[in-house]
Amino acid sequence: MQQKRNIQIIEWEDLDKRKFYSFGVFMTMSIRATVYPATLIRTRLQVQKGKSLYGGTFDAFFKILRREGARGLYRGFMVNSFTLISGQAYITTYELVRRYVSNYTHDNTVKSLVAGGSASLVAQSITVPIDVVSQQLMMQGQGEHPTRFQLQAKVQEGMSKRMFGNTRDLIAQIFAADGFRGFYRGYVASLLTYIPNSAVWWPFYHFYAEQLSKLAPSDCPHLLLQAMAGPLAAATASTVTNPMDVVRARVQVEGRSSIVETFKLLMAEEGAWGMTKGLSARIISSTPTAIVMVVGYETLKKVSLRPELVDSRHW
């Protein structure tokens, strides 16, 4: 009975890689499409001064929906979908580093922490340029523009080529103003946000899953316990790293170059409360993300198991 209660972790060497990557692309794209509106709202809340435009997460949702329509909630989504590449890089790095670290220690917390941080480092190197462009697109369409780059009127009015015209216009403006370095604005802030977030999420995920397994009946499906552990880990990681996430958003959208100066300015203008901006939206977006990701990822690993191992896992 005790063996049945322990949640077995499917490791890299247990997987059929062809199935893993084929199903993984679909899973990642589905998750991003589901949570993108909350990501857009979080970005707008973090960048606005005080409560000049939106009073909170739900206020922002209804105002955007009313003023910009459902399309407004997906501004920049097509550009952001290129982070699909970074998603696959993240998964691969996490599993490979976890396997490498297991040569030196069998402590699951250590393996999860090191692998999670390493995976985020690789993924952010791919994601930041995409984020810089997509966040500029996210900020268009509202009553005020706290960004340095604005879409040209003729591009906004050309509905037939609007999507690619907007993206091309913003890329050209960013490159003209800052060169190639402009696409990596906020890179350090992103690393300081997402490496700790990822490094914290995985150990807490496994910790919560194990604690829940001790409380649950022995025949409780492990996937259900993991689906509950994911949001708990996400809320914990989001709360810990949100201050740096606010600074990162300000650096990337407002074109600032100093993390320290951005932090000082934010504290001077809005106090410690400013460090919690977008936290509710972040938790709201991370909760379904975590549930879908955990259920999807663990199911993905199960269906990608090598045939001879399928019967050895309890779900």
Side-chain angles (χ1 to χ4, degrees):
M1 180 177 294
Q2 183 64 31
Q3 183 178 6
K4 190 177 181 181
R5 289 166 62 113
N6 291 336
I7 297 179
Q8 294 176 290
I9 298 174
I10 299 176
E11 301 289 2
W12 181 251
E13 58 270 19
D14 301 330
L15 300 174
D16 179 328
K17 308 306 186 295
R18 182 180 301 177
K19 290 182 179 179
F20 183 72
Y21 284 114
S22 298
F23 293 127
V25 170
F26 174 76
M27 182 199 76
T28 304
M29 194 65 178
S30 299
I31 293 174
R32 295 192 184 282
T34 302
V35 304
Y36 189 80
T39 301
L40 180 142
I41 290 171
R42 183 193 76 200
T43 299
R44 290 194 178 186
L45 287 174
Q46 289 177 334
V47 173
Q48 74 170 348
K49 303 296 184 181
K51 295 186 177 181
S52 57
L53 199 58
Y54 307 116
T57 301
F58 293 104
D59 180 54
F61 174 79
F62 289 114
K63 282 183 177 178
I64 293 171
L65 199 60
R66 184 169 60 252
R67 296 173 182 175
E68 305 172 45
R71 183 190 295 268
L73 293 170
Y74 280 90
R75 286 184 182 273
F77 176 71
M78 291 307 297
V79 174
N80 188 265
S81 65
F82 282 100
T83 55
L84 182 70
I85 300 171
S86 67
Q88 297 305 302
Y90 180 95
I91 291 173
T92 302
T93 303
Y94 176 79
E95 294 293 348
L96 289 177
V97 172
R98 184 181 173 85
R99 180 184 181 185
Y100 176 77
V101 175
S102 66
N103 293 325
Y104 300 92
T105 179
H106 294 293
D107 188 316
N108 187 55
T109 299
V110 174
K111 290 193 289 184
S112 298
L113 191 148
V114 175
S118 301
S120 187
L121 172 62
V122 172
Q124 285 305 306
S125 298
I126 302 171
T127 299
V128 169
I130 300 171
D131 273 350
V132 168
V133 177
S134 66
Q135 285 178 340
Q136 293 293 336
L137 289 169
M138 287 179 187
M139 302 308 296
Q140 307 298 320
Q142 38 181 5
E144 59 177 29
H145 295 285
T147 69
R148 294 190 302 155
F149 308 109
Q150 304 300 322
L151 296 177
Q152 299 175 5
K154 61 180 181 179
V155 175
Q156 285 183 310
E157 295 169 359
M159 296 297 292
S160 62
K161 297 183 180 180
R162 181 171 184 172
M163 181 192 310
F164 298 105
N166 288 353
T167 304
R168 186 172 58 250
D169 181 40
L170 280 174
I171 290 175
Q173 288 186 48
I174 294 170
F175 187 77
D178 302 323
F180 181 75
R181 292 182 60 184
F183 296 101
Y184 275 90
R185 185 174 294 279
Y187 178 62
V188 174
S190 291
L191 295 183
L192 292 177
T193 300
Y194 292 114
I195 288 180
N197 186 84
S198 181
V200 167
W201 190 92
W202 286 102
F204 270 106
Y205 164 62
H206 291 300
F207 170 77
Y208 287 133
E210 286 300 326
Q211 295 306 307
L212 288 170
S213 71
K214 294 177 182 178
L215 299 174
S218 60
D219 60 347
C220 182
H222 287 173
L223 192 59
L224 176 61
L225 301 178
Q226 292 167 323
M228 295 170 63
L232 292 174
T236 303
S238 294
T239 301
V240 171
T241 61
N242 196 72
M244 185 53 65
D245 194 40
V246 176
V247 173
R248 174 198 61 79
R250 291 287 180 97
V251 168
Q252 290 182 330
V253 174
E254 296 179 354
R256 301 182 182 278
S257 58
S258 172
I259 296 175
V260 175
E261 290 303 317
T262 301
F263 175 80
K264 289 181 179 179
L265 183 61
L266 181 61
M267 288 293 291
E269 291 180 345
E270 306 185 44
W273 184 253
M275 293 298 158
T276 66
K277 297 186 74 171
L279 178 58
S280 61
R282 194 174 177 200
I283 292 177
I284 289 171
S285 68
S286 67
T287 297
T289 301
I291 294 174
V292 174
M293 187 192 81
V294 167
V295 172
Y297 188 60
E298 296 294 348
T299 301
L300 169 66
K301 291 174 77 174
K302 182 187 178 187
V303 300
S304 301
L305 269 174
R306 300 204 317 269
E308 64 271 21
L309 299 175
V310 172
D311 295 331
S312 66
R313 297 296 189 270
H314 168 60
W315 289 80

mmCIF file with all atom_site columns, all heavy atoms in Angstrom, residues 270-287:
data_model
loop_
_atom_site.group_PDB
_atom_site.id
_atom_site.type_symbol
_atom_site.label_atom_id
_atom_site.label_alt_id
_atom_site.label_comp_id
_atom_site.label_asym_id
_atom_site.label_entity_id
_atom_site.label_seq_id
_atom_site.pdbx_PDB_ins_code
_atom_site.Cartn_x
_atom_site.Cartn_y
_atom_site.Cartn_z
_atom_site.occupancy
_atom_site.B_iso_or_equiv
_atom_site.pdbx_formal_charge
_atom_site.auth_seq_id
_atom_site.auth_comp_id
_atom_site.auth_asym_id
_atom_site.auth_atom_id
_atom_site.pdbx_PDB_model_num
ATOM 1   N N   . GLU A 1 270 ? 4.940  54.486 -5.854  1.00 0.00 ? 270 GLU A N   1
ATOM 2   C CA  . GLU A 1 270 ? 3.810  53.674 -5.412  1.00 0.00 ? 270 GLU A CA  1
ATOM 3   C C   . GLU A 1 270 ? 4.051  52.890 -4.126  1.00 0.00 ? 270 GLU A C   1
ATOM 4   O O   . GLU A 1 270 ? 3.146  52.203 -3.655  1.00 0.00 ? 270 GLU A O   1
ATOM 5   C CB  . GLU A 1 270 ? 3.405  52.720 -6.542  1.00 0.00 ? 270 GLU A CB  1
ATOM 6   C CG  . GLU A 1 270 ? 3.124  53.445 -7.854  1.00 0.00 ? 270 GLU A CG  1
ATOM 7   C CD  . GLU A 1 270 ? 2.604  52.527 -8.932  1.00 0.00 ? 270 GLU A CD  1
ATOM 8   O OE1 . GLU A 1 270 ? 1.739  51.688 -8.638  1.00 0.00 ? 270 GLU A OE1 1
ATOM 9   O OE2 . GLU A 1 270 ? 3.070  52.645 -10.079 1.00 0.00 ? 270 GLU A OE2 1
ATOM 10  N N   . GLY A 1 271 ? 5.260  52.994 -3.578  1.00 0.00 ? 271 GLY A N   1
ATOM 11  C CA  . GLY A 1 271 ? 5.545  52.314 -2.326  1.00 0.00 ? 271 GLY A CA  1
ATOM 12  C C   . GLY A 1 271 ? 5.610  50.800 -2.479  1.00 0.00 ? 271 GLY A C   1
ATOM 13  O O   . GLY A 1 271 ? 5.598  50.266 -3.598  1.00 0.00 ? 271 GLY A O   1
ATOM 14  N N   . ALA A 1 272 ? 5.649  50.112 -1.347  1.00 0.00 ? 272 ALA A N   1
ATOM 15  C CA  . ALA A 1 272 ? 5.760  48.648 -1.361  1.00 0.00 ? 272 ALA A CA  1
ATOM 16  C C   . ALA A 1 272 ? 4.560  48.003 -2.043  1.00 0.00 ? 272 ALA A C   1
ATOM 17  O O   . ALA A 1 272 ? 4.676  46.914 -2.617  1.00 0.00 ? 272 ALA A O   1
ATOM 18  C CB  . ALA A 1 272 ? 5.896  48.126 0.069   1.00 0.00 ? 272 ALA A CB  1
ATOM 19  N N   . TRP A 1 273 ? 3.400  48.676 -2.003  1.00 0.00 ? 273 TRP A N   1
ATOM 20  C CA  . TRP A 1 273 ? 2.201  48.124 -2.637  1.00 0.00 ? 273 TRP A CA  1
ATOM 21  C C   . TRP A 1 273 ? 2.407  47.942 -4.134  1.00 0.00 ? 273 TRP A C   1
ATOM 22  O O   . TRP A 1 273 ? 1.817  47.045 -4.746  1.00 0.00 ? 273 TRP A O   1
ATOM 23  C CB  . TRP A 1 273 ? 1.021  49.058 -2.380  1.00 0.00 ? 273 TRP A CB  1
ATOM 24  C CG  . TRP A 1 273 ? -0.282 48.541 -2.909  1.00 0.00 ? 273 TRP A CG  1
ATOM 25  C CD1 . TRP A 1 273 ? -0.964 48.984 -3.998  1.00 0.00 ? 273 TRP A CD1 1
ATOM 26  C CD2 . TRP A 1 273 ? -1.059 47.463 -2.380  1.00 0.00 ? 273 TRP A CD2 1
ATOM 27  N NE1 . TRP A 1 273 ? -2.115 48.258 -4.191  1.00 0.00 ? 273 TRP A NE1 1
ATOM 28  C CE2 . TRP A 1 273 ? -2.202 47.315 -3.202  1.00 0.00 ? 273 TRP A CE2 1
ATOM 29  C CE3 . TRP A 1 273 ? -0.913 46.609 -1.283  1.00 0.00 ? 273 TRP A CE3 1
ATOM 30  C CZ2 . TRP A 1 273 ? -3.178 46.344 -2.966  1.00 0.00 ? 273 TRP A CZ2 1
ATOM 31  C CZ3 . TRP A 1 273 ? -1.880 45.648 -1.044  1.00 0.00 ? 273 TRP A CZ3 1
ATOM 32  C CH2 . TRP A 1 273 ? -2.988 45.521 -1.883  1.00 0.00 ? 273 TRP A CH2 1
ATOM 33  N N   . GLY A 1 274 ? 3.255  48.783 -4.723  1.00 0.00 ? 274 GLY A N   1
ATOM 34  C CA  . GLY A 1 274 ? 3.518  48.681 -6.156  1.00 0.00 ? 274 GLY A CA  1
ATOM 35  C C   . GLY A 1 274 ? 4.149  47.357 -6.537  1.00 0.00 ? 274 GLY A C   1
ATOM 36  O O   . GLY A 1 274 ? 4.041  46.916 -7.689  1.00 0.00 ? 274 GLY A O   1
ATOM 37  N N   . MET A 1 275 ? 4.822  46.708 -5.572  1.00 0.00 ? 275 MET A N   1
ATOM 38  C CA  . MET A 1 275 ? 5.472  45.434 -5.844  1.00 0.00 ? 275 MET A CA  1
ATOM 39  C C   . MET A 1 275 ? 4.478  44.284 -5.968  1.00 0.00 ? 275 MET A C   1
ATOM 40  O O   . MET A 1 275 ? 4.834  43.192 -6.400  1.00 0.00 ? 275 MET A O   1
ATOM 41  C CB  . MET A 1 275 ? 6.489  45.108 -4.732  1.00 0.00 ? 275 MET A CB  1
ATOM 42  C CG  . MET A 1 275 ? 7.664  46.045 -4.708  1.00 0.00 ? 275 MET A CG  1
ATOM 43  S SD  . MET A 1 275 ? 8.610  45.959 -6.245  1.00 0.00 ? 275 MET A SD  1
ATOM 44  C CE  . MET A 1 275 ? 9.445  47.537 -6.202  1.00 0.00 ? 275 MET A CE  1
ATOM 45  N N   . THR A 1 276 ? 3.231  44.535 -5.567  1.00 0.00 ? 276 THR A N   1
ATOM 46  C CA  . THR A 1 276 ? 2.209  43.490 -5.677  1.00 0.00 ? 276 THR A CA  1
ATOM 47  C C   . THR A 1 276 ? 1.350  43.660 -6.925  1.00 0.00 ? 276 THR A C   1
ATOM 48  O O   . THR A 1 276 ? 0.424  42.875 -7.150  1.00 0.00 ? 276 THR A O   1
ATOM 49  C CB  . THR A 1 276 ? 1.290  43.503 -4.429  1.00 0.00 ? 276 THR A CB  1
ATOM 50  O OG1 . THR A 1 276 ? 0.530  44.732 -4.411  1.00 0.00 ? 276 THR A OG1 1
ATOM 51  C CG2 . THR A 1 276 ? 2.110  43.396 -3.151  1.00 0.00 ? 276 THR A CG2 1
ATOM 52  N N   . LYS A 1 277 ? 1.650  44.676 -7.724  1.00 0.00 ? 277 LYS A N   1
ATOM 53  C CA  . LYS A 1 277 ? 0.827  44.945 -8.914  1.00 0.00 ? 277 LYS A CA  1
ATOM 54  C C   . LYS A 1 277 ? 0.848  43.748 -9.849  1.00 0.00 ? 277 LYS A C   1
ATOM 55  O O   . LYS A 1 277 ? 1.898  43.190 -10.150 1.00 0.00 ? 277 LYS A O   1
ATOM 56  C CB  . LYS A 1 277 ? 1.325  46.194 -9.641  1.00 0.00 ? 277 LYS A CB  1
ATOM 57  C CG  . LYS A 1 277 ? 1.218  47.460 -8.811  1.00 0.00 ? 277 LYS A CG  1
ATOM 58  C CD  . LYS A 1 277 ? 1.574  48.693 -9.604  1.00 0.00 ? 277 LYS A CD  1
ATOM 59  C CE  . LYS A 1 277 ? 0.465  49.055 -10.567 1.00 0.00 ? 277 LYS A CE  1
ATOM 60  N NZ  . LYS A 1 277 ? 0.695  50.371 -11.193 1.00 0.00 ? 277 LYS A NZ  1
ATOM 61  N N   . GLY A 1 278 ? -0.344 43.371 -10.294 1.00 0.00 ? 278 GLY A N   1
ATOM 62  C CA  . GLY A 1 278 ? -0.454 42.254 -11.221 1.00 0.00 ? 278 GLY A CA  1
ATOM 63  C C   . GLY A 1 278 ? -0.355 40.895 -10.565 1.00 0.00 ? 278 GLY A C   1
ATOM 64  O O   . GLY A 1 278 ? -0.443 39.872 -11.251 1.00 0.00 ? 278 GLY A O   1
ATOM 65  N N   . LEU A 1 279 ? -0.199 40.863 -9.218  1.00 0.00 ? 279 LEU A N   1
ATOM 66  C CA  . LEU A 1 279 ? -0.039 39.566 -8.546  1.00 0.00 ? 279 LEU A CA  1
ATOM 67  C C   . LEU A 1 279 ? -1.301 38.716 -8.660  1.00 0.00 ? 279 LEU A C   1
ATOM 68  O O   . LEU A 1 279 ? -1.221 37.518 -8.946  1.00 0.00 ? 279 LEU A O   1
ATOM 69  C CB  . LEU A 1 279 ? 0.320  39.762 -7.072  1.00 0.00 ? 279 LEU A CB  1
ATOM 70  C CG  . LEU A 1 279 ? 0.472  38.470 -6.242  1.00 0.00 ? 279 LEU A CG  1
ATOM 71  C CD1 . LEU A 1 279 ? 1.543  37.568 -6.841  1.00 0.00 ? 279 LEU A CD1 1
ATOM 72  C CD2 . LEU A 1 279 ? 0.802  38.804 -4.784  1.00 0.00 ? 279 LEU A CD2 1
ATOM 73  N N   . SER A 1 280 ? -2.460 39.345 -8.450  1.00 0.00 ? 280 SER A N   1
ATOM 74  C CA  . SER A 1 280 ? -3.702 38.574 -8.547  1.00 0.00 ? 280 SER A CA  1
ATOM 75  C C   . SER A 1 280 ? -3.889 38.034 -9.960  1.00 0.00 ? 280 SER A C   1
ATOM 76  O O   . SER A 1 280 ? -4.282 36.884 -10.154 1.00 0.00 ? 280 SER A O   1
ATOM 77  C CB  . SER A 1 280 ? -4.910 39.415 -8.131  1.00 0.00 ? 280 SER A CB  1
ATOM 78  O OG  . SER A 1 280 ? -5.059 40.551 -8.971  1.00 0.00 ? 280 SER A OG  1
ATOM 79  N N   . ALA A 1 281 ? -3.582 38.885 -10.971 1.00 0.00 ? 281 ALA A N   1
ATOM 80  C CA  . ALA A 1 281 ? -3.692 38.434 -12.360 1.00 0.00 ? 281 ALA A CA  1
ATOM 81  C C   . ALA A 1 281 ? -2.687 37.324 -12.637 1.00 0.00 ? 281 ALA A C   1
ATOM 82  O O   . ALA A 1 281 ? -2.964 36.377 -13.383 1.00 0.00 ? 281 ALA A O   1
ATOM 83  C CB  . ALA A 1 281 ? -3.449 39.601 -13.324 1.00 0.00 ? 281 ALA A CB  1
ATOM 84  N N   . ARG A 1 282 ? -1.529 37.442 -12.024 1.00 0.00 ? 282 ARG A N   1
ATOM 85  C CA  . ARG A 1 282 ? -0.490 36.427 -12.226 1.00 0.00 ? 282 ARG A CA  1
ATOM 86  C C   . ARG A 1 282 ? -0.909 35.097 -11.618 1.00 0.00 ? 282 ARG A C   1
ATOM 87  O O   . ARG A 1 282 ? -0.719 34.031 -12.216 1.00 0.00 ? 282 ARG A O   1
ATOM 88  C CB  . ARG A 1 282 ? 0.817  36.916 -11.594 1.00 0.00 ? 282 ARG A CB  1
ATOM 89  C CG  . ARG A 1 282 ? 2.033  36.118 -12.035 1.00 0.00 ? 282 ARG A CG  1
ATOM 90  C CD  . ARG A 1 282 ? 3.297  36.719 -11.506 1.00 0.00 ? 282 ARG A CD  1
ATOM 91  N NE  . ARG A 1 282 ? 4.430  35.906 -11.881 1.00 0.00 ? 282 ARG A NE  1
ATOM 92  C CZ  . ARG A 1 282 ? 5.605  35.939 -11.273 1.00 0.00 ? 282 ARG A CZ  1
ATOM 93  N NH1 . ARG A 1 282 ? 5.793  36.762 -10.261 1.00 0.00 ? 282 ARG A NH1 1
ATOM 94  N NH2 . ARG A 1 282 ? 6.593  35.167 -11.669 1.00 0.00 ? 282 ARG A NH2 1
ATOM 95  N N   . ILE A 1 283 ? -1.491 35.152 -10.410 1.00 0.00 ? 283 ILE A N   1
ATOM 96  C CA  . ILE A 1 283 ? -1.946 33.922 -9.768  1.00 0.00 ? 283 ILE A CA  1
ATOM 97  C C   . ILE A 1 283 ? -3.133 33.334 -10.525 1.00 0.00 ? 283 ILE A C   1
ATOM 98  O O   . ILE A 1 283 ? -3.229 32.118 -10.722 1.00 0.00 ? 283 ILE A O   1
ATOM 99  C CB  . ILE A 1 283 ? -2.322 34.182 -8.292  1.00 0.00 ? 283 ILE A CB  1
ATOM 100 C CG1 . ILE A 1 283 ? -1.057 34.517 -7.492  1.00 0.00 ? 283 ILE A CG1 1
ATOM 101 C CG2 . ILE A 1 283 ? -3.026 32.973 -7.686  1.00 0.00 ? 283 ILE A CG2 1
ATOM 102 C CD1 . ILE A 1 283 ? -1.307 34.863 -6.040  1.00 0.00 ? 283 ILE A CD1 1
ATOM 103 N N   . ILE A 1 284 ? -4.044 34.237 -10.972 1.00 0.00 ? 284 ILE A N   1
ATOM 104 C CA  . ILE A 1 284 ? -5.200 33.775 -11.739 1.00 0.00 ? 284 ILE A CA  1
ATOM 105 C C   . ILE A 1 284 ? -4.755 33.087 -13.020 1.00 0.00 ? 284 ILE A C   1
ATOM 106 O O   . ILE A 1 284 ? -5.291 32.054 -13.416 1.00 0.00 ? 284 ILE A O   1
ATOM 107 C CB  . ILE A 1 284 ? -6.155 34.954 -12.062 1.00 0.00 ? 284 ILE A CB  1
ATOM 108 C CG1 . ILE A 1 284 ? -6.870 35.410 -10.781 1.00 0.00 ? 284 ILE A CG1 1
ATOM 109 C CG2 . ILE A 1 284 ? -7.184 34.549 -13.123 1.00 0.00 ? 284 ILE A CG2 1
ATOM 110 C CD1 . ILE A 1 284 ? -7.658 36.688 -10.941 1.00 0.00 ? 284 ILE A CD1 1
ATOM 111 N N   . SER A 1 285 ? -3.750 33.668 -13.679 1.00 0.00 ? 285 SER A N   1
ATOM 112 C CA  . SER A 1 285 ? -3.263 33.067 -14.923 1.00 0.00 ? 285 SER A CA  1
ATOM 113 C C   . SER A 1 285 ? -2.440 31.817 -14.650 1.00 0.00 ? 285 SER A C   1
ATOM 114 O O   . SER A 1 285 ? -2.471 30.858 -15.418 1.00 0.00 ? 285 SER A O   1
ATOM 115 C CB  . SER A 1 285 ? -2.431 34.074 -15.727 1.00 0.00 ? 285 SER A CB  1
ATOM 116 O OG  . SER A 1 285 ? -1.220 34.382 -15.065 1.00 0.00 ? 285 SER A OG  1
ATOM 117 N N   . SER A 1 286 ? -1.710 31.815 -13.533 1.00 0.00 ? 286 SER A N   1
ATOM 118 C CA  . SER A 1 286 ? -0.839 30.676 -13.237 1.00 0.00 ? 286 SER A CA  1
ATOM 119 C C   . SER A 1 286 ? -1.619 29.466 -12.734 1.00 0.00 ? 286 SER A C   1
ATOM 120 O O   . SER A 1 286 ? -1.169 28.331 -12.894 1.00 0.00 ? 286 SER A O   1
ATOM 121 C CB  . SER A 1 286 ? 0.220  31.064 -12.195 1.00 0.00 ? 286 SER A CB  1
ATOM 122 O OG  . SER A 1 286 ? -0.360 31.327 -10.929 1.00 0.00 ? 286 SER A OG  1
ATOM 123 N N   . THR A 1 287 ? -2.802 29.704 -12.136 1.00 0.00 ? 287 THR A N   1
ATOM 124 C CA  . THR A 1 287 ? -3.574 28.582 -11.608 1.00 0.00 ? 287 THR A CA  1
ATOM 125 C C   . THR A 1 287 ? -4.064 27.646 -12.713 1.00 0.00 ? 287 THR A C   1
ATOM 126 O O   . THR A 1 287 ? -3.761 26.454 -12.694 1.00 0.00 ? 287 THR A O   1
ATOM 127 C CB  . THR A 1 287 ? -4.764 29.078 -10.758 1.00 0.00 ? 287 THR A CB  1
ATOM 128 O OG1 . THR A 1 287 ? -4.259 29.787 -9.620  1.00 0.00 ? 287 THR A OG1 1
ATOM 129 C CG2 . THR A 1 287 ? -5.625 27.909 -10.295 1.00 0.00 ? 287 THR A CG2 1
#
